[in-house]
Amino acid sequence: MTRPVLIIGAGIAGLWAALTSPLVAQESQASIVMPNSAQCEPPAEGPGATPETAISVYIDQLVGDAEDVREFDLDSEYDCRWIRTVGYFAWVDYWHYRGRISSAALPELSAATAPWIENFSDTETRRHDLQQHQIEIVGIYYDLCRRADEHARRAEAEDGVILINMGGPCHYGSLNGLMIRDVRVLSTLTDGPVRLRGEINREQFGNLVDVTGVRPDIVQSLESASRDSLRLLSTGEAEYLTTTNWSPEAIAEAVADEDDWTSALARTLLRHPDWGIGKFQAFIKTDFYSDDPAVGREPAEHSDIFGCFCLTADCSDSWPLSSWDAQHLADEVLCVRLHEDQTGAWQVRP
């Protein structure tokens, strides 16, 4: 007689995968898990025991170390130790993580193995102040996927429970769970965010196209909607978010979160009270274009569009080339993301 299947944290797709898995037919329990965090304590003494004795390491060395641990069954030089490293910070909205840190300056080109910054030790740290800056940090490094694998082996050997990973970073590759927690930012090494600039690069490297050239019929209404939404944000986040389709509970949660993107936009407006006099420009993502030869390069309906205002005297070579920059940066340019609903009205998409 087979044991019952225990399903944890899965939706319909995960449930179906578990029920149809050959593993379930055996005499064992199958538990669907989504590992996203683990705990470990640094050694009591020696290199990496404290922030003061943190081991200096390049990000690529962390990745190489994790690869060697798996391939050759070695002990890690850095796992569960305080490490010091330098890299470029990229904002993320995935699970509870705050960002990723990469050796590559451009987040669009960062490898999937870039370590995650799980949390900051200082809760006052604001991600937008670090976005696409090169920073030096100290934190406790650990390999989440290795721990998840060890936990799965123990569960099967000791309790006969087969753990099926159906979510979390390790679901996307065994080197996608390199974590740094309790992060302290020691210094910021760049004067501003590092990003691709220059209209000459748009066609080769960007994924945003000037709306004026492809949807001249909506430019005026889009500018009006962008101004209205940002004016509303300047009065308060709650008022701004009521223009979305978010639930009251989601809005309340966002208002309470001082480190989300809406809060970053609101702080930018405070720093630039004359934002409304800047030149306006709008962009649509190229991947929303139809591939139908009969349609050509007409944008698909109900596309996301970024309405952007210049915050400096001249943004001719500073308009965002990529949707990544439009959604996560407010340096020379401040952008709001809008979506055309079924009635033709523009709706904020935070």
Side-chain angles (χ1 to χ4, degrees):
M1 179 176 178
T2 59
R3 299 179 184 178
V5 180
L6 178 62
I7 309 297
I8 298 178
I12 296 299
L15 176 62
W16 176 252
L19 292 177
T20 57
S21 169
L23 298 174
V24 178
Q26 302 171 8
E27 290 194 5
S28 61
Q29 288 182 322
S31 175
I32 291 179
V33 294
M34 299 184 186
N36 61 74
S37 185
Q39 288 295 320
C40 68
E41 293 301 324
E45 57 185 21
T50 66
E52 293 72 28
T53 60
I55 304 170
S56 294
V57 59
Y58 293 110
I59 290 172
D60 291 343
Q61 286 179 279
L62 290 177
V63 176
D65 175 79
E67 289 176 327
D68 289 345
V69 166
R70 281 170 175 73
E71 185 173 356
F72 304 111
D73 195 26
L74 302 175
D75 291 331
S76 170
E77 295 183 52
Y78 313 107
D79 191 47
C80 204
R81 286 172 169 79
W82 287 93
I83 59 100
R84 178 194 297 257
T85 193
V86 170
Y88 291 87
F89 178 81
W91 181 302
V92 297
D93 288 309
Y94 180 65
W95 289 94
H96 58 288
Y97 309 134
R98 311 318 294 156
R100 301 187 83 158
I101 187 165
S102 171
S103 57
L106 302 176
E108 303 97 319
L109 306 179
S110 299
T113 52
W116 301 85
I117 291 182
E118 184 166 5
N119 64 296
F120 294 106
S121 62
D122 182 357
T123 58
E124 297 299 312
T125 301
R126 295 292 174 255
R127 293 180 289 172
H128 181 251
D129 296 335
L130 306 176
Q131 176 65 353
Q132 289 174 228
H133 286 70
Q134 188 182 46
I135 58 176
E136 182 180 17
I137 64 169
V138 163
I140 299 175
Y141 164 79
Y142 73 92
D143 187 337
L144 172 66
C145 302
R146 184 184 179 198
R147 279 172 170 67
D149 289 344
E150 292 172 348
H151 178 56
R153 287 194 292 270
R154 286 197 305 271
E156 185 171 4
E158 298 173 7
D159 303 317
V161 175
I162 298 172
L163 301 182
I164 304 173
N165 185 352
M166 291 296 293
C170 300
H171 183 63
Y172 303 98
S174 60
L175 290 175
N176 196 39
L178 308 183
M179 297 285 164
I180 309 177
R181 65 175 173 85
D182 298 333
V183 169
R184 295 101 188 270
V185 180
L186 301 181
S187 61
T188 301
L189 306 177
T190 48
D191 293 333
V194 178
R195 62 182 174 98
L196 278 172
R197 301 167 187 267
E199 289 302 312
I200 194 172
N201 292 312
R202 185 173 299 280
E203 187 172 346
Q204 291 294 324
F205 299 102
N207 69 341
L208 293 179
V209 172
D210 178 8
V211 167
T212 306
V214 293
R215 290 290 303 273
D217 56 309
I218 65 170
V219 173
Q220 186 174 354
S221 63
L222 187 64
E223 180 172 359
S224 177
S226 298
R227 290 186 185 278
D228 290 346
S229 64
L230 289 176
R231 287 194 188 101
L232 199 57
L233 178 57
S234 66
T235 67
E237 287 187 53
E239 291 78 4
Y240 172 77
L241 292 171
T242 56
T243 64
T244 70
N245 59 0
W246 286 12
S247 68
E249 293 77 17
I251 291 174
E253 183 178 350
V255 170
D257 184 354
E258 296 183 4
D259 193 32
D260 62 357
W261 180 242
T262 306
S263 297
L265 280 180
R267 287 194 297 272
T268 302
L269 291 176
L270 288 175
R271 289 196 296 267
H272 298 274
D274 58 347
W275 63 268
I277 66 174
K279 183 179 178 182
F280 175 81
Q281 184 64 280
F283 302 91
I284 189 170
K285 287 179 66 175
T286 54
D287 54 5
F288 280 108
Y289 281 77
S290 170
D291 293 327
D292 185 349
V295 177
R297 284 182 56 79
E298 287 297 316
E301 293 183 1
H302 310 301
S303 303
D304 278 355
I305 293 181
F306 298 93
C308 303
F309 293 90
C310 181
L311 300 178
T312 63
D314 180 18
C315 289
S316 57
D317 272 333
S318 296
W319 297 113
L321 303 181
S322 72
S323 56
W324 173 268
D325 289 341
Q327 290 180 94
H328 297 94
L329 280 178
D331 46 2
E332 291 101 324
V333 176
L334 172 67
C335 298
V336 59
R337 182 168 60 152
L338 300 172
H339 182 82
E340 190 177 10
D341 65 22
Q342 298 296 331
T343 70
W346 293 106
Q347 189 177 64
V348 170
R349 295 196 64 172

